Amino acid sequence: MSRQGWRNFKLYAITAKSNHPGRSVVEVMEQALIGGAQMVQLRNKTGTRDEVLEEAKALRILTRKYKVPLIINDYPDLVLETDADGVHLGQDDMPIAKAREWLGVDRIIGISTHNLQQALAAEQEGADYIGVGPVYPTETKPGRTAVTTSYVKEAAHHISIPFVAIGGITLDNVDAVLASGATRICAVSAIVGHNDPAGVCQAFLKKIDAHRSEYVHPFKTVKINGREEQTSAKTVEELVIQLGQQHKKLIIELNGMIVQRARWAETELLGGSSIELVHFVGGG
């Protein structure tokens, strides 16, 4: 999956070295990639900068081999130094606007959120995706109160940018998370702490795909220029084609935010979305 197509990811794996003593980060993450993980995050809260840099270099080589985006937690400078694909921030880290200044428009910026207000703010400030969690209690974020699947439902209804449910998600509880509206799942200890990371990833993807095929109705209701319409379009580009508008000069707003033409094909169209199509004639 290229950096341009990263929004199509379904399963996100994050490193946690303490969960796999005796096995290297690269060894474990390669197994996750073999199993189908489509996004990798390097998260090392205890190592020195030099240690994180060495891990980032190794994971950069690995993720390029599997054509999967590499995100680095907390270190936008290491994103540039290793040519990683993006950074993941916490609520108390560098502001999104500052990270964007560092990284430019093409790199991915994700941020952890714990309630809908933080999610809406992240969307407004230009985040590319948000983490929604922790859904369940997790050792990865000790002391952090679980947001439960209620926040997953809120995110599914109110957030237009990609969101990934995270925190304490296992094969035993992922069905409830998916039923709450998540279409992307992130797991840490359930993947990297398992003796068979590849097998766990395959099992997660099987559940995600089964949920999508079972629950996604072929038609959804969206509001187009103020009028409710039924459509089977999965993306903004499919909608434009269905409307026969693909040869016109258009500016499109999705839920109040302009969608750049280069991203129409990868921007999901969810039920309840509000679309504004503005047609420019001549030099307008």
Side-chain angles (χ1 to χ4, degrees):
M1 185 178 298
S2 66
R3 186 181 298 171
Q4 287 73 28
W6 68 271
R7 287 176 176 77
N8 296 322
F9 80 94
K10 293 179 286 187
L11 184 62
Y12 190 160
I14 299 181
T15 65
K17 197 158 50 177
S18 61
N19 286 95
H20 49 82
R23 294 181 292 168
S24 73
V25 169
V26 169
E27 176 187 355
V28 172
M29 296 314 289
E30 180 156 27
Q31 286 301 307
L33 292 169
I34 289 171
Q38 296 151 330
M39 186 100 94
V40 166
Q41 182 186 133
L42 169 59
R43 184 176 189 270
N44 183 341
K45 293 285 189 179
T46 58
T48 66
R49 185 185 182 283
D50 286 345
E51 290 169 344
V52 178
L53 174 60
E54 289 308 306
E55 290 178 345
K57 287 179 178 177
L59 288 176
R60 177 69 292 183
I61 294 170
L62 179 69
T63 50
R64 280 201 171 125
K65 176 181 174 184
Y66 288 88
K67 296 181 171 56
V68 167
L70 171 64
I71 305 298
I72 298 179
N73 190 298
D74 287 349
Y75 289 94
D77 56 330
L78 294 189
V79 170
L80 296 175
E81 190 167 346
T82 61
D83 194 27
D85 297 289
V87 68
H88 188 91
L89 304 171
Q91 285 293 315
D92 298 325
D93 294 334
M94 174 184 290
I96 292 170
K98 184 67 176 176
R100 185 65 72 196
E101 283 182 20
W102 276 51
L103 301 179
V105 296
D106 292 331
R107 299 200 196 256
I108 303 163
I109 297 178
I111 184 166
S112 298
T113 69
H114 314 298
N115 55 56
L116 184 59
Q117 289 70 33
Q118 291 176 349
L120 292 170
E123 187 174 64
Q124 184 68 29
E125 292 164 11
D128 293 301
Y129 77 89
I130 59 171
V132 169
V135 181
Y136 301 105
T138 173
E139 293 179 359
T140 306
K141 293 198 173 183
R144 173 71 66 182
T145 302
V147 299
T148 77
T149 54
S150 294
Y151 177 33
V152 178
K153 289 179 183 175
E154 288 183 320
H157 281 97
H158 296 284
I159 300 302
S160 299
I161 60 176
F163 79 87
V164 58
I166 181 173
I169 298 174
T170 68
L171 290 173
D172 292 330
N173 61 30
V174 69
D175 288 328
V177 182
L178 294 168
S180 300
T183 58
R184 302 173 178 87
I185 296 295
C186 181
V188 186
S189 56
I191 293 176
V192 302
H194 199 280
N195 289 330
D196 180 14
V200 172
C201 286
Q202 290 166 357
F204 268 120
L205 287 168
K206 188 175 180 181
K207 283 180 175 285
I208 295 169
D209 289 340
H211 179 85
R212 286 188 170 197
S213 63
E214 181 178 356
Y215 291 100
V216 176
H217 192 276
F219 290 95
K220 67 196 80 175
T221 301
V222 298
K223 190 173 287 185
I224 303 173
N225 288 358
R227 187 175 63 187
E228 286 195 343
E229 302 275 0
Q230 291 279 312
T231 178
S232 60
K234 297 176 182 174
T235 65
V236 167
E237 184 171 79
E238 286 184 16
L239 177 66
V240 171
I241 293 171
Q242 285 186 1
L243 295 174
Q245 303 287 310
Q246 65 269 31
H247 302 304
K248 296 181 178 178
K249 293 180 179 178
L250 295 175
I251 289 181
I252 292 183
E253 278 190 10
L254 175 62
N255 297 327
M257 298 186 69
I258 292 176
V259 182
Q260 299 298 322
R261 177 66 184 85
R263 292 184 167 172
W264 288 2
E266 61 191 53
T267 300
E268 256 186 308
L269 188 63
L270 303 176
S273 296
S274 180
I275 310 289
E276 293 289 331
L277 285 79
V278 180
H279 179 205
F280 280 86
V281 179

